Amino acid sequence: ETIKIYPNPLQFGNWNLEVGNDLIGANVEVFDAEGRLVYKSEIKKLKSEIGFEAASGIYMIHIRSSKVNVSHKLIKL
């Protein structure tokens, strides 16, 4: 699968998410360091933005579909 999340670490603005066709329709969830869900969405296009009020710290993004289950660490400076 193709997944690109940038910039990482993020200084300001939003993360950009780029995926392959196989991930259209997948669910995206972002959790903060305490495990709280802070963002949830469905991937509807190949390039999208992940935007929420993010305090500095470490986040985990989970991308899940019937075929894919991927986690990445996101850093907000």
Side-chain angles (χ1 to χ4, degrees):
E1 82 280 345
T2 312
I3 299 173
K4 280 200 224 157
I5 306 168
Y6 60 91
N8 196 20
L10 174 72
Q11 203 158 355
F12 52 86
N14 296 333
W15 282 283
N16 293 293
L17 175 64
E18 287 185 30
V19 300
N21 280 318
D22 54 333
L23 285 173
I24 299 292
N27 290 312
V28 179
E29 294 177 334
V30 179
F31 295 87
D32 66 12
E34 280 79 50
R36 289 184 295 246
L37 181 66
V38 293
Y39 178 86
K40 183 175 178 146
S41 185
E42 181 186 322
I43 298 176
K44 293 187 170 69
K45 48 193 183 190
L46 299 178
K47 289 177 92 165
S48 54
E49 283 191 359
I50 297 173
F52 57 94
E53 290 296 317
S56 296
I58 294 175
Y59 296 84
M60 287 299 295
I61 181 168
H62 300 288
I63 298 173
R64 268 195 290 271
S65 73
S66 56
K67 298 178 288 247
V68 179
N69 190 354
V70 187
S71 297
H72 286 286
K73 182 158 48 168
L74 299 177
I75 299 169
K76 171 75 191 295
L77 299 177

